[in-house]
């Protein structure tokens, strides 16, 4: 795969770059996506498991579902796509990962500047007193109740109808305001407000580069659309960008 000449020119000199990621970037690490034939929601209803109402109706069931997913995330390893984004942090003077994923894989791969829009499955907090519990505390505490106040402990993630964490959203907005390029990787681009971010880049004169194995509502809007797995496409883009910017092989 060769990067189109117009994109080469942009990547050669870009200073401010963002990657917006979704479940597809972790698919090759063995973490199921949400939508599509094999997605989590082809078998399970989000209304029954991924909403605050569902949690209040049946906290034990919802907590056990997240405990199961936390185990899958922990047993998974970052793949070449996550690693390519760590490389991009070295290549571009300013690079921010904005992720909708809760699986912690960007941070585990080594990305330093990560905005987690939908929370992180390793964090939990008590609805009663607000005390925070990490994943391991939570696993030991089998009845999912706060030892301090007896309140319900919930995962620190964002369900439909809930606000995104203010600091993470601010970090994402600041990054897209300045971005010359946004890579939109492995997301169906249907969940808001995350799906708005590429439009902000466009309004400010930046370019949208989509990487996905399938068409999405963004595909026709994107300036460049690469059809292929995130690991393959991002590795190729990273390697070619390093060459364009004169990164010597022996200093890598
Ligand atoms: C590969 C690949 C490979 C596979 N390589 N690619 C404006 C308009 C309309 C609606 C709204 C709006 N503003 C707000 C809303 C409501 C709602 C919303 O967006 N609804 C739409 C779905 C209609 N949004 C919200 O409620 C948000 N909150 C909010 O806006 O607060 C303000 C507010 C409050 C009250 C009222 C109104 C406004 C919160 C959204 C929270 C989303 N939470 C979830 C669950 C998290 C917890 C959990 O994990 O259980 O987050 S939903 C789920 O979707 C999860 C994901 O982060 C998110 C996005 O999914 P993603 O990542 O795109 O995954 P998939 O599966 O959809 O796609 C995978 C893609 O990868 C596919 O395209 C594949 O082809 C591709 N792929 N393998 C490359 N190897």
């Amino acid at each position: 795969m060769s990067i189109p000449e117009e994109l080469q020119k942009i990547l050669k000199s870009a200073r401010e770059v963002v990657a917006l990621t979704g479940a597809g970037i972790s698919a090759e690490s063995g973490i199921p996506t949400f939508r599509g034939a094999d997605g989590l929601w082809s078998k399970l209803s989000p209304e029954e498991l991924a909403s605050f109402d569902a949690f209040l109706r049946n906290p034990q069931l919802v907590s056990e579902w997240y405990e199961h997913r936390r185990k899958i995330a922990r047993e998974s390893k970052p793949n070449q796509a996550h690693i390519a984004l760590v490389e991009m942090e070295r290549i571009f003077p300013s690079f921010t990962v904005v992720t909708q994923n809760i699986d912690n894989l960007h941070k585990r791969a080594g990305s330093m500047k990560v905005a987690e829009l939908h929370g992180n499955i390793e964090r939990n907090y008590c609805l009663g007193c607000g005390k925070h519990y990490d994943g391991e505390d939570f696993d030991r505490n089998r009845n999912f109740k706060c030892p301090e106040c007896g309140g319900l402990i919930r995962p620190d993630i964002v369900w439909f109808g809930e606000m995104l964490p203010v600091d993470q959203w601010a970090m994402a907005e600041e990054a897209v305001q300045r971005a010359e390029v946004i890579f939109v990787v492995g997301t169906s681009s249907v969940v808001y407000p995350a799906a708005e971010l590429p439009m902000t880049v466009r309004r400010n004169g930046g370019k949208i580069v989509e990487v996905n194995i399938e068409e999405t509502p963004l595909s026709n809007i994107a300036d460049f659309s690469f059809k292929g797995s995130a690991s393959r496409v991002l590795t190729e883009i990273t390697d070619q960008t390093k060459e364009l910017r004169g990164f010597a092989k022996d200093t890598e």
Side-chain angles (χ1 to χ4, degrees):
M1 180 201 93
S2 169
I3 303 178
E5 220 167 286
E6 192 196 342
L7 183 57
Q8 285 188 22
K9 275 195 201 131
I10 297 163
L11 294 178
K12 189 170 177 188
S13 61
R15 299 187 60 79
E16 306 269 354
V17 178
V18 171
L20 170 64
T21 68
I25 197 169
S26 297
E28 291 167 87
S29 295
I31 299 181
T33 61
F34 294 92
R35 299 166 185 86
D38 295 326
L40 283 174
W41 292 343
S42 63
K43 302 165 202 99
L44 303 159
S45 140
E47 292 77 28
E48 277 168 42
L49 287 167
S51 74
F52 188 62
D53 286 349
F55 178 69
L56 289 184
R57 261 197 317 273
N58 197 340
Q60 186 80 21
L61 174 75
V62 174
S63 298
E64 281 173 6
W65 189 56
Y66 281 98
E67 188 178 38
H68 167 69
R69 288 178 53 202
R70 188 177 307 115
K71 188 164 179 284
I72 294 176
R74 277 201 199 142
E75 286 169 358
S76 305
K77 290 196 178 73
N79 64 55
Q80 286 306 315
H82 297 99
I83 291 163
L85 297 188
V86 178
E87 284 287 284
M88 285 197 192
E89 213 163 58
R90 284 202 316 134
I91 297 173
F92 299 109
S94 168
F95 183 74
T96 308
V97 175
V98 177
T99 189
Q100 299 167 83
N101 299 342
I102 62 173
D103 58 30
N104 210 28
L105 288 186
H106 287 299
K107 287 185 176 167
R108 280 177 55 202
S111 284
M112 306 291 283
K113 203 171 166 200
V114 184
E116 295 177 321
L117 297 185
H118 296 164
N120 186 312
I121 200 163
E122 284 296 336
R123 294 192 305 262
N124 306 274
Y125 64 92
C126 170
L127 285 175
C129 66
K131 186 171 160 53
H132 280 77
Y133 292 92
D134 68 23
E136 280 172 25
D137 291 334
F138 199 54
D139 291 344
R140 280 194 293 272
N141 179 17
R142 292 291 312 161
N143 67 3
F144 309 110
K145 293 263 177 68
C146 176
E148 306 279 323
C149 76
L152 278 174
I153 300 174
R154 64 161 283 176
D156 192 359
I157 56 164
V158 183
W159 285 314
F160 282 118
E162 295 189 314
M163 301 301 288
L164 274 58
V166 174
D167 57 338
Q168 304 299 299
W169 179 247
M171 183 175 165
E173 276 211 302
E174 200 206 323
V176 293
Q177 292 292 347
R178 293 182 280 108
E180 294 149 83
V181 182
I182 184 166
F183 292 99
V184 184
V185 186
T187 173
S188 54
S189 291
V190 296
V191 174
Y192 287 81
E196 269 168 30
L197 295 171
M199 303 309 155
T200 307
V201 174
R202 156 73 53 82
R203 270 198 301 280
N204 292 338
K207 300 289 184 194
I208 302 172
V209 182
E210 187 185 50
V211 180
N212 201 304
I213 52 171
E214 285 175 4
E215 292 276 312
T216 74
L218 189 72
S219 304
N220 289 330
I221 300 165
D223 298 282
F224 304 93
S225 188
F226 293 95
K227 288 282 155 294
S229 75
S231 62
R232 182 178 65 76
V233 176
L234 288 182
T235 304
E236 290 184 16
I237 290 178
T238 308
D239 287 350
Q240 289 179 46
T241 305
K242 278 201 256 181
E243 264 185 59
L244 288 167
R245 295 176 79 110
F247 276 60
K249 287 233 177 314
D250 57 354
T251 61
E252 283 169 20

